Amino acid sequence: MDSAIVLTAELPGLEEDDVEIEIKDRRLILRGQKNIAHDDTGDLRVSERSYGSSSRAMPLPDAVEIDKISATFDKGVLHIEMPKTEPHDPSRKIKVSSKKTVCWRDTVLENAKAEGRSWIGLLRVAD
């Protein structure tokens, strides 16, 4: 078993401060913002660079330890390391027990038997 899930994202043109990582509802959300660089000389006629914001989200498996996720950013490449917990088997056996339900009729019959009386005539249908 690998000890971690590693996510790598190439983010050319972005700096560390342009990247935001958030975890919400067991989802990893990655956001980036690239602002337009203005040409101070005014000589820029055409720009073939992309600007703006983007985001991606991915669900995190239950095995990921959210509190131990770390990220590094080096030369436009973001590395997110998500350590995994040891797998555990959530299955278990459940003991089934019976619960004796006592109703008034059973109680009357048991009392009659204990007193040595006949149970005949103790039961009658209500009008």
Side-chain angles (χ1 to χ4, degrees), residues 63-81:
V64 169
E65 291 188 66
I66 291 176
D67 296 336
K68 296 184 179 178
I69 294 176
S70 64
T72 57
F73 191 78
D74 184 36
K75 298 178 185 173
V77 180
L78 176 67
H79 297 277
I80 302 172
E81 186 169 334

Side-chain angles (χ1 to χ4, degrees), residues 11-62:
L11 306 170
L14 295 182
E15 299 295 327
E16 180 179 336
D17 294 338
D18 300 330
V19 178
E20 180 183 310
I21 302 169
E22 179 183 12
I23 297 172
K24 186 174 183 179
D25 299 326
R26 292 210 59 89
R27 295 180 61 80
L28 180 92
I29 302 165
L30 173 61
R31 293 185 187 92
Q33 174 74 34
K34 186 174 179 183
N35 297 317
I36 296 175
H38 296 286
D39 181 17
D40 293 334
T41 64
D43 291 337
L44 181 64
R45 307 260 188 240
V46 177
S47 176
E48 294 188 13
R49 294 183 176 190
S50 298
Y51 299 99
S53 62
S54 63
S55 68
R56 297 288 183 269
M58 67 173 272
L60 294 175
D62 290 336

Side-chain angles (χ1 to χ4, degrees), residues 84-102:
K84 295 193 297 188
T85 60
E86 290 295 320
H88 66 285
D89 185 7
S91 62
R92 64 185 180 106
K93 292 193 180 234
I94 299 171
K95 182 181 177 186
V96 178
S97 61
S98 64
K99 181 177 179 183
K100 184 177 178 182
T101 304
V102 178

